[in-house]
Amino acid sequence: MINANLAQFLDTGWFNEATLYYQGYTYWCEGDVDKTRDKPVHFIIYKYKSEIHHKENGEIFTTRAIDNGNLIDYSVLIDIYGEDEDEIKEQFLQAKIFDGKSFWEIEDKVAWYDEN
């Protein structure tokens, strides 16, 4: 990852509202667990156009690109349920969601920025 600790991202970040930035787009990764469901683990990734910003203090963040109150190029890339986080994580890491590439294929080109 360009600006973040890969081990930390793989440990918890991918499931806890991570905003990944890759080639002009944010990939919002979010998971939850509800043991009352047949498959308790839910994971979703939204993709939308975003803009990167650099503050004078060196902080880098993204903002959503919006037109007439709507996110530009908004889509849901993954919306899956599974038995446990390991099952879902493996599906995420192998899915070809980054312009037809998997996370591992773009890992050295993706950034994990905050979104403002």
Side-chain angles (χ1 to χ4, degrees), residues 37-49:
R37 294 189 293 241
D38 289 339
K39 292 189 175 185
V41 180
H42 178 229
F43 184 67
I44 194 162
I45 298 177
Y46 306 100
K47 177 184 176 184
Y48 46 86
K49 188 82 174 149

Side-chain angles (χ1 to χ4, degrees), residues 16-35:
N16 293 309
E17 299 184 0
T19 50
L20 300 178
Y21 182 82
Y22 177 69
Q23 295 188 346
Y25 287 87
T26 289
Y27 295 76
W28 177 286
C29 306
E30 181 176 9
D32 72 89
V33 177
D34 180 346
K35 295 187 180 195

Side-chain angles (χ1 to χ4, degrees), residues 68-113:
N68 291 324
N70 297 312
L71 291 172
I72 298 174
D73 294 341
Y74 172 84
S75 61
V76 177
L77 299 179
I78 288 182
D79 188 357
I80 54 176
Y81 292 83
E83 297 298 327
D84 58 40
E85 287 184 30
D86 290 337
E87 174 189 347
I88 298 295
K89 181 179 181 180
E90 189 62 31
Q91 289 180 47
F92 159 60
L93 293 174
Q94 292 182 12
K96 303 284 186 173
I97 59 172
F98 300 94
D99 295 333
K101 298 176 182 170
S102 73
F103 176 81
W104 292 120
E105 291 173 299
I106 58 96
E107 180 271 324
D108 62 335
K109 298 170 188 75
V110 69
W112 184 12
Y113 295 132

